[in-house]
Amino acid sequence: MESFDAIVIGAGVIGSSVAYHLAHLGAKKVLVLERLQIGAGTSTQSSGILRTHYSVIENVELARRSWSAFTDLAGYLQDEDAASGLVKCGYLICAPDGPRLSPLQEALRGQQAKGIEVKFLGKEEARALLPIAHFDDAALIGYEPEAGFADAYLVASSFARAARRRGVKIMEGVSVEWLLVDNGRVCGVETTQGSFSSDTIISTQNIWARDIERWTGITTPVVPERHAVLALECADAPYTSQMPVFKDLGSPGMLYARSYGGRHMLVSEGTVGETLSEPTNEQGDISMDYVVEVGAQVAQRFAAYENAGLASSWTGVYDVTPDWNPVLGRLPGIDGLIVGYGFSGHGFKLSPGVGRVLAQEALGLATDVSLAPYALTRFSSGQLLTGKYGLGAVS
Ligand SMILES: Cc1cc2nc3c(=O)[nH]c(=O)nc-3n(C[C@H](O)[C@H](O)[C@H](O)COP(=O)(O)OP(=O)(O)OC[C@H]3O[C@@H](n4cnc5c(N)ncnc54)[C@H](O)[C@@H]3O)c2cc1C
């Protein structure tokens, strides 16, 4: 049986990042096993928004560390072929009077305390940045210039290529079927193409993380939840790529919106989606009623979109935990087993930082940020990382 220093299960944007960082930090023999192809899980379905805005302060630090990688991925990976597809257009967030006002104020101050550039804007300043929207009801508007959106598939494949160039072996079309454990320590995996041994296994399986529960009996509190993304076309008010990403805490669905292809508006709700009984990232139906419901919310903020058309749409699936934040680090009870799952719709923006800390943990190095807040045990101890805006991916 071939033996490795570490085995990564799953080559989404998180697993590919872990693999790269393992090699970068000195692991000599690393194997990545991917059932489909690199990035073909939920990463390809991402809206790609990058911000450091969070109401959970621990996430701000992970996002801040990740942002610097996105701004120069080729430099970060020391690979001239790497790219993130970054559009640095900034991030605008507003709240009306009401329950989300003081959490927004607190979150913006929290970012500033971490040295992140955040501005408090007046309505006219906000309109100058996003002239297709109105801000009549806004009681508070925050703006983060160092933010935008990028391409999660491009980032996953860039991490994977850079990992390969550092000697990592990536096998696609190979499914891990079982985890091998001996005397309370992992010792390898059984796959559809034979067994491989290692005393360090990192699972980055996203909505398929429940496999861990089946293999080990350790509770895996993650639920697959389907979300719809719409691309709207409005010739009178194109959403250009110079316009910032927008988060509307005043809308019932806590909408987020960004430019798509330089003219369309990509829009989705930032609240709870449709729970699936089984993990699958197959496309689901988007009803016309739903399109009308989201369209009405959009038109409340962007008047010209009253007459917008639907240019395209797709669904994607989040790996949602009870507090909408990931589980990161070692699992109790089995040595050598490390996980990164439960990104609850906001894992892309954390992927460089998370990949690095999981690799550090796997190699027994000090981690850049403490993984303690993200431990699985928080769900039994009650020390949850629940965001102050309620349940949703802005967390
Ligand atoms: C609609 C949508 C919009 C989003 N928008 C944003 C956003 O704007 N900003 C943001 O930061 N985040 C966003 N996200 C979240 C972000 O895209 C995800 O958190 C991130 O892509 C997850 O990466 P991953 O590697 O954990 O998962 P995946 O890409 O799903 O990778 C997991 C991989 O594991 C493989 N796998 C699973 N089990 C096995 C097994 N037994 N054997 C072998 N392989 C296995 C799968 O095939 C899969 O490729 C969004 C997500 C969706 C769905």
Side-chain angles (χ1 to χ4, degrees):
M1 195 191 312
E2 193 173 357
S3 184
F4 292 85
D5 293 346
I7 295 177
V8 181
I9 309 174
V13 74
I14 301 293
S16 303
S17 172
V18 171
Y20 166 78
H21 286 100
L22 282 168
H24 176 68
L25 293 169
K28 293 281 172 274
K29 233 184 141 191
V30 177
L31 174 65
V32 181
L33 297 164
E34 167 54 53
R35 180 190 293 148
L36 306 167
Q37 294 89 36
I38 293 159
T42 66
S43 290
T44 42
Q45 303 171 332
S46 186
S47 300
I49 293 168
L50 306 175
R51 53 166 160 89
T52 63
H53 185 91
Y54 274 106
S55 67
V56 171
I57 197 73
E58 287 82 355
N59 291 339
V60 177
E61 186 56 28
L62 274 175
R64 189 180 71 82
R65 288 169 181 272
S66 298
W67 172 250
S68 58
F70 289 117
T71 53
D72 177 17
L73 198 62
Y76 183 80
L77 298 179
Q78 294 168 332
D79 179 352
E80 61 183 12
D81 295 323
S84 68
L86 176 66
V87 176
K88 198 171 92 174
C89 54
Y91 181 79
L92 195 61
I93 181 166
C94 78
D97 272 326
R100 294 181 187 134
L101 185 59
S102 71
L104 175 59
Q105 174 102 28
E106 208 180 306
L108 295 169
R109 293 269 180 238
Q111 287 176 280
Q112 285 181 326
K114 290 229 170 248
I116 294 164
E117 186 184 358
V118 168
K119 295 177 180 160
F120 291 86
L121 299 187
K123 292 177 187 179
E124 282 315 307
E125 289 173 296
R127 250 188 93 75
L129 289 169
L130 191 58
I132 57 175
H134 78 82
F135 297 91
D136 300 347
D137 60 336
L140 185 61
I141 306 169
Y143 178 58
E144 185 183 333
E146 293 288 308
F149 57 89
D151 183 325
Y153 174 73
L154 201 53
V155 172
S157 50
S158 291
F159 271 123
R161 183 178 41 237
R164 274 187 167 132
R165 287 177 175 173
R166 287 178 180 264
V168 172
K169 180 172 180 176
I170 303 180
M171 295 175 73
E172 296 172 278
V174 179
S175 175
V176 174
E177 302 286 281
W178 201 256
L179 190 72
L180 302 172
V181 179
D182 184 29
N183 257 332
R185 170 154 209 110
V186 290
C187 55
V189 289
E190 274 175 15
T191 80
T192 44
Q193 288 190 28
S195 299
F196 302 94
S197 80
S198 180
D199 60 7
T200 303
I201 313 270
I202 303 115
S203 157
T204 57
Q205 293 176 251
N206 198 274
I207 55 171
W208 298 275
R210 275 275 173 90
D211 280 350
I212 300 163
E213 188 162 323
R214 203 161 47 81
W215 297 334
T216 67
I218 298 172
T219 308
T220 308
V222 66
V223 172
E225 206 183 82
R226 188 177 275 149
H227 289 252
V229 180
L230 311 179
L232 304 180
E233 190 173 16
C234 176
D236 295 340
Y239 202 134
T240 69
S241 31
Q242 286 75 42
M243 294 179 186
V245 174
F246 180 57
K247 179 74 180 177
D248 187 357
L249 293 173
S251 60
M254 291 206 288
L255 295 186
Y256 65 80
R258 47 155 270 208
S259 175
Y260 184 61
R263 289 194 63 76
H264 296 167
M265 172 194 289
L266 180 157
V267 63
S268 185
E269 290 189 303
T271 46
V272 175
E274 175 201 356
T275 299
L276 304 179
S277 54
E278 293 296 326
T280 170
N281 61 340
E282 296 290 310
Q283 285 300 295
D285 291 334
I286 302 175
S287 72
M288 204 31 83
D289 286 353
Y290 182 79
V291 175
V292 169
E293 187 191 313
V294 173
Q297 292 183 54
V298 170
Q300 282 287 324
R301 178 69 59 196
F302 301 86
Y305 280 71
E306 180 77 47
N307 302 315
L310 184 63
S312 62
S313 62
W314 66 91
T315 62
V317 184
Y318 295 1
D319 50 341
V320 175
T321 66
D323 64 5
W324 283 67
N325 273 300
V327 176
L328 304 175
R330 294 181 184 273
L331 288 187
I334 298 187
D335 287 344
L337 180 56
I338 291 149
V339 297
Y341 67 74
F343 291 94
S344 307
H346 57 96
F348 175 46
K349 62 182 63 62
L350 305 177
S351 56
V354 163
R356 188 171 150 89
V357 291
L358 290 182
Q360 288 170 328
E361 180 70 17
L363 297 174
L365 305 171
T367 54
D368 290 342
V369 300
S370 169
L371 295 184
Y374 296 98
L376 175 65
T377 48
R378 74 180 187 270
F379 298 110
S380 48
S381 70
Q383 289 172 305
L384 300 183
L385 290 172
T386 310
K388 296 188 181 62
Y389 302 121
L391 299 182
V394 75
S395 202

